[in-house]
Amino acid sequence: FSDDGAVLVQKAKVDLEKKGATSFILDLRNNGGGYVHTAEELIGLFPNSPDAFKIITTKETTLTKSTKQPSLFPANTKVLVNGYSASASEMTAAALLDQKSATLYGQTTYGKGSMQSFFSLSDESIIKLTVANFTGPKGTLIHKKGVKPNYETEVGYELLQAHQDALVESYKNYKKMSALLNVPTT
C-alpha cells in the first residue's frame, strides 16, 4: 500500500491480460497496510465496489467512496489474507467482502481497524494519535476482530485453494469424481 500501489497493481493486471490472463489472485498476506488513498484506489479496481469504508469518530460516522479505476478485475477474482494482513489491507478485504466484489481465502486478518494522525508540537516533537476507527462499508467490524475470509484455510494453503477454485470455475463441465476406494498402489 505504497503511495503508488494501486497504479502498480493496475499496470501488472494490464500486462498480465496482454499475456492472456483471464482470472486473478491478489495476495494481501503479510501486508501491514499503508496509505488509505491506495486502499480506496485498489478497492476501485473491483466491480461492484463503489464504497471503500466507514470512518467512525467520536462525532460522526462517514461512508467513504472508492476511487473508480478505468480497468477492473473480473468478478471472480480471489484475494488472499492472513493474520499479518493489517490496516489498509484489512480495509480493502472488508470492502470486497461487504460488497461481494471478490472472494477471500486464508485466515482471519490482524484486526487493526484504527487510523492514526501525526501532530507536531511546539517543541518540534511529534505525537501520534488514534483519530478514528474504520469498518467495511456495510459495517464489518475490523478493530480487534479482524476480517474473516469467505474460505478459511490452513496457513500456507490459501493460494492452493484459490487457484484450484479458479481452475474449476474455468471448466464449465467439471464434475467432481466420487472418491476412489481400495485403489491398489502397485
Side-chain angles (χ1 to χ4, degrees):
F1 286 79
S2 61
D3 193 33
D4 62 346
V7 172
L8 296 172
V9 170
Q10 175 86 351
K11 182 183 179 319
K13 178 194 159 294
V14 169
D15 289 348
L16 288 168
E17 285 174 327
K18 287 178 183 174
K19 294 177 182 176
T22 57
S23 66
F24 295 87
I25 299 172
L26 179 65
D27 193 349
L28 298 180
R29 295 174 297 174
N30 305 316
N31 189 308
Y35 289 101
V36 171
H37 77 85
T38 301
E40 293 168 16
E41 294 167 359
L42 195 56
I43 294 163
L45 283 167
F46 288 83
N48 305 314
S49 292
D51 302 318
F53 52 86
K54 283 185 182 175
I55 299 254
I56 303 163
T57 67
T58 55
K59 295 182 181 182
E60 64 185 350
T61 299
T62 307
L63 180 64
T64 302
K65 297 290 186 187
S66 66
T67 306
K68 197 72 169 166
Q69 301 298 315
S71 174
L72 303 179
F73 278 114
N76 67 343
T77 299
K78 318 293 189 235
V79 177
L80 310 180
V81 295
N82 67 9
Y84 298 104
S85 304
S87 196
S89 63
E90 290 178 289
M91 182 181 282
T92 302
L96 300 177
L97 184 70
D98 276 4
Q99 298 171 105
K100 297 178 175 70
S101 303
T103 306
L104 276 57
Y105 290 80
Q107 303 82 48
T108 301
T109 63
Y110 183 77
K112 186 195 175 289
S114 60
M115 297 175 115
Q116 289 75 36
S117 285
F118 295 94
F119 298 94
S120 299
L121 301 177
S122 59
D123 66 355
E124 297 184 15
S125 62
I126 296 174
I127 188 168
K128 179 180 172 183
L129 292 176
T130 297
V131 295
N133 283 340
F134 58 86
T135 68
K138 305 279 190 233
T140 293
L141 295 176
I142 299 167
H143 197 61
K144 297 184 180 179
K145 275 190 82 162
V147 178
K148 184 178 176 181
N150 300 96
Y151 295 100
E152 290 191 81
T153 67
E154 290 183 40
V155 174
Y157 287 93
E158 49 280 330
L159 178 59
L160 178 67
Q161 186 64 54
H163 188 68
Q164 179 181 338
D165 288 355
L167 285 172
V168 168
E169 288 171 8
S170 71
Y171 292 102
K172 302 295 182 209
N173 295 324
Y174 172 81
K175 291 180 186 169
K176 185 174 182 176
M177 292 178 61
S178 58
L180 298 174
L181 303 174
N182 301 321
V183 176
T185 58
T186 58

